[in-house]
Amino acid sequence: MLYENFETNAIRTQAEQTDFREHAVPLYLTSSFTFEDAEQGRALFADEIAGNIYTRFSNPNNTELIEKLCYLEGTEDGIATASGMAAMFVSIAAFLQSGDHIVASRSVFGSTHQILTMILPKWGISHTYVDIATPEKWESAIQANTKMIFVETPSNPALDIIDLAWLGKLAKKHKVILNVDNCFATPYLQNPAKYGADIVTHSATKFIDGQGRTIGGAILGSKELIKQVRFFARHTGPSMSPFNAWVLSKSLETLAVRMERHCENALKLATYLETLESVGKVKYPFLASHPQYELAKKQMKHGGGVVTFELRGGIEQGRKFLNALKMCSLTANLGDSRTTVTHSASTTHSKLKEEERQAVGITAGLVRVSVGLEYIDDIIADISQAIQASL
Ligand SMILES: *Cc1c(COP(=O)(O)O)cnc(C)c1O
């Protein structure tokens, strides 16, 4: 930690100033870096000295972003990846080999589900899904060949919360890597490494970017584990573009203030929706009605920026509701300053089978709202008129 406080680290972690004495960090759009002489080139490749060689391996913008994320998450090292999914895939593929097994929470992002069920089996890596509601089943799901536990908390879009302190102990007891996708919480609301997560993964596309401009991801952890990840990434090439790293590092400067408002708006929207007779179940980690409310309060600073609710009229009412929105954006992204509304069953989780969706609570009438930074009364007014129009 450079400073005591999150906000200061998010703003004051910067790449070294150049001779131009620029205030904002420059964008290092360069594929490679030159060697002073033949000997320096040799020494760099031999890892005898530290330094940039080639942007697929490292670049000052990417290094700055990772240094900052490490301060914010409380980890030693990391790498930035081209997307959140590159982070998920690399954080598994770098450690596991044919014959290995993963225990995963059933409630994971749609593409993570595809990696586990359709892609990793091609290399003989199997998995067992466990439900968050049945913690007693986690330990029995761990086999002799289990190498990793993979979870999302809060999960997308079910907003399930898993006890990180408990899971951290379980992973340690069985000597397996605990990999936590911390995308929904962001490092501002929750630091899984403090509870024993070995690897923390991010889709930086969401709240870290915060304005829906870039695609990016990150893998963070101990020096020892990240060494393996770096070897894998250096030779397979999922690196983040320096331009995106520059944008995302700037974005982190405002993460704390943005998350404060996202969470304040989300709680107000969730509280309002719960008063409506016409709406089914409303889910938000910091609503007392959330099944893991106490746990959410324990491990998260606030409830996050995402609220879900259920339209009782299912897919038909869902369609009417989406088409009646006037301000909120219909899009699959989340974590934007603009409020975005998604119908998960027909978009982000459409590749799942119906029974798989049901098992993680993605019903036909489920609406996911990523509550933006517009004035809250305007967000509530738009959603409220669209619900009225859908009845
Ligand atoms: C969006 C998302 C991802 C994938 O990230 P991309 O940047 O879109 O590749 C992974 N996990 C969660 C929880 C997400 O919401």
Side-chain angles (χ1 to χ4, degrees), residues 80-344:
T81 55
S83 68
M85 287 326 299
M88 302 314 145
F89 179 71
V90 170
S91 69
I92 297 171
F95 297 113
L96 273 64
Q97 61 187 38
S98 179
D100 288 346
H101 174 256
I102 303 173
V103 171
S105 54
R106 192 182 303 282
S107 188
V108 289
F109 186 65
S111 288
T112 305
H113 172 77
Q114 296 299 322
I115 288 180
L116 290 169
T117 57
M118 304 302 288
I119 297 174
L120 292 175
K122 292 205 292 186
W123 294 295
I125 297 169
S126 58
H127 70 280
T128 302
Y129 276 137
V130 207
D131 291 310
I132 282 180
T134 54
E136 68 282 0
K137 297 222 172 115
W138 286 75
E139 189 152 22
S140 55
I142 298 174
Q143 311 171 1
N145 60 343
T146 303
K147 289 284 156 59
M148 180 175 279
I149 297 178
F150 186 101
V151 295
E152 247 172 56
T153 179
S155 65
N156 181 4
L159 300 178
D160 286 328
I161 310 287
I162 190 154
D163 189 337
L164 286 172
W166 165 77
L167 202 58
K169 283 193 201 106
L170 187 71
K172 191 164 246 157
K173 178 176 164 196
H174 291 274
K175 297 190 174 60
V176 299
I177 296 171
L178 174 58
N179 186 343
V180 179
D181 178 347
N182 201 29
C183 168
F184 264 43
T186 82
Y188 183 64
L189 302 181
Q190 165 180 287
N191 295 133
K194 291 189 183 139
Y195 296 103
D198 304 290
I199 293 288
V200 179
T201 36
H202 276 287
S203 165
T205 312
K206 314 291 169 53
F207 293 100
I208 290 180
D209 177 293
Q211 291 169 68
R213 301 159 300 185
T214 62
I215 299 281
I219 306 170
L220 308 162
S222 67
K223 277 203 167 75
E224 193 190 331
L225 290 181
I226 295 301
K227 199 173 166 196
Q228 290 182 61
V229 174
R230 183 169 286 119
F231 167 81
F232 186 93
R234 171 169 169 160
H235 299 296
T236 56
S239 24
M240 176 182 280
S241 134
F243 177 75
N244 285 3
W246 183 87
V247 171
L248 291 165
S249 184
K250 275 274 161 213
S251 294
L252 283 173
E253 294 184 11
T254 57
L255 183 70
V257 286
R258 286 187 286 108
M259 289 315 291
E260 285 289 337
R261 184 61 67 84
H262 277 297
C263 296
E264 185 188 324
N265 281 356
L267 181 59
K268 282 184 183 161
L269 176 68
T271 307
Y272 165 77
L273 289 169
E274 265 201 332
T275 66
L276 297 183
E277 289 283 321
S278 53
V279 163
K281 197 163 98 192
V282 180
K283 212 164 171 193
Y284 182 67
F286 270 34
L287 275 186
S289 58
H290 189 287
Q292 292 123 343
Y293 170 69
E294 292 301 330
L295 177 60
K297 284 252 170 181
K298 199 176 93 191
Q299 67 188 27
M300 294 171 74
K301 191 180 174 86
H302 302 299
V306 179
V307 175
T308 65
F309 65 96
E310 182 78 36
L311 289 170
R312 291 202 186 90
I315 189 105
E316 270 318 305
Q317 195 190 352
R319 228 174 247 139
K320 277 194 205 148
F321 167 77
L322 294 178
N323 291 336
L325 287 167
K326 294 191 171 113
M327 180 187 80
C328 298
S329 314
L330 289 193
T331 176
N333 197 26
L334 62 95
D336 198 303
S337 55
R338 294 170 171 80
T339 298
T340 63
V341 179
T342 311
H343 179 247
S344 303

